[in-house]
Amino acid sequence: MKTYLNYINGTWMTSQSGELLDSIDPATGAFVAHTQSSTARDVELAVQTVSGAYTGSDWGSNSHRRASALLEWAAAIEVRKEELASLLTLENGKPIREARVEIAGAIDALRYCAGMARNVFGRTFQPAEDNFGFIMKEPIGIVAVITPWNWPVLLLFRDLAPCLAAGNGVIIKPAERTGAITAELLALLADIPEFPSGIAALITGLGTVVGNALVEHPAVDMICFTGSTAVGKALMQKAAAGVKKVALELGGKSPNLVFEDADLTRAIETSCRSLFMTSGQICMAGSRLLVHESVYETAVDIAKTFAESLRVGHGRLETTDMGPIISEKQLDNVLHYIEQGRREGRVITGGYRLRGAEYDNGLFIAPTILDNLSPSSCVVQEEIFGPVLVMEKFRTEEEAIRLANITPYGLSAGVWTKDVSRALRVARQVQAGTVWVNGYNKSYAEAESGGYKHSGIGRARGVEGLMEFTETKHVNISI
Ligand code: ADP
């Protein structure tokens, strides 16, 4: 079994704490690897050395170098993609097919951002005969990227690739449960000479220790965080003390709105798939399924059949559709919401922890669908982060939109209809950073994503995603 080290100043090193964190396979409870449980002193060293690499190299000014570095990293990941996908599945529990999608998404983000590195454009203007101005885009400086465990590779690269493409130095703090896969990916960067030694550091450890130290460190210029809304809010408050830039992608409670003219089977099955993916532990999960009353009962039948057909098991099996829940704590949390849903409404299917044979040592919950809940119920309003779909009924387009916007979240939404005008009307009025029409979870490196309301601040991916990692400077010349 491997013990992973921190990567600081181009060197692999142990934490000054001498303590370790465990990575556990949530499907079996088996030990996967150790990572360092680092301290504020490790953070201090990382910040100093990344700052040194940033100011002491041409990283911020040499876009060709950055483009080559990102392309080489993509190529190195590509060579080992199957092995990396296996480790991801082992550490996180997700089905191997999904792990492959994550690795492919990381490679794609690097390649897209390699092109973007050479397109960090500003603009020019001439306000008067004797005056000329231009707007420059510069790197921000030192950025801390704090990642979650649910999509630990794709979400890391979604932010890391533009962060590096824009010319910043970066300190990566992965989630406690997914330090091993993150360290393996950083090990591939370590061998690429185009990256100045020390420009990227990896520190594993507790969010409350390492994450907090990064947020409080005066020399960290920006915090890019993906995780829960509760931690995001606390982090934003702390960052305010240092007037630090934050980019946050937080929780979601995303609705799929299915109108009576939709291709019902496709709409319901895709909506269900979007929720049961990663066992519902995904911020963009379509966790609310709102269906027109005229087709509601048919929709319930389709959803129930779909949920009951899912093969739940160890992620390494090619046949597995849904894996385990990441931790005991998260499992208890999900079961708590299910019990609340049972008390207040109806359990259409599932509603229990899976036991017996292959499930006994793991953390598995049956795909669950609830309905007959009040829109004000915590089961409808709050992010459960588990395989629990809530179905709701609407009568009119207005009611569908009102219900869609009823939670504090606004990450994404799906609209299912054959009527193009209605699709556009609804898409305009739903408060969400991404609206898919007749589809779901179509994410692209070139398409901005992010949250309205409590789902976040700033945008990842696309041109705006790159610009998040830049400062804007007006240089004005009097002629
Ligand atoms: P999740 O519920 O998905 O684990 P969290 O918001 O708890 O989401 O964690 C997301 C990331 O934030 C993880 O890397 C975690 O270690 C980190 N984190 C947790 N608490 C803090 C904190 N107080 N300050 C900074 N980072 C934190």
Side-chain angles (χ1 to χ4, degrees), residues 146-149 173-176 205-208 211-212 215 225-228 231-232 235 238 385:
I146 302 177
T147 58
W149 47 261
K173 205 308 269 176
E176 291 81 341
L206 300 177
T208 45
N212 195 47
V215 177
F225 169 86
T226 307
S228 61
V231 173
L235 189 150
K238 287 228 173 82
F385 231 57

Side-chain angles (χ1 to χ4, degrees), residues 37 49 92 103 144 160 227 261 295 306 310 353 366 393 421 424 427:
S37 182
T49 56
N92 165 287
I103 306 289
L160 188 55
D261 63 338
V295 290
F306 182 88
L310 290 173
R353 181 175 182 175
K393 217 181 274 182
S421 303
L424 261 178

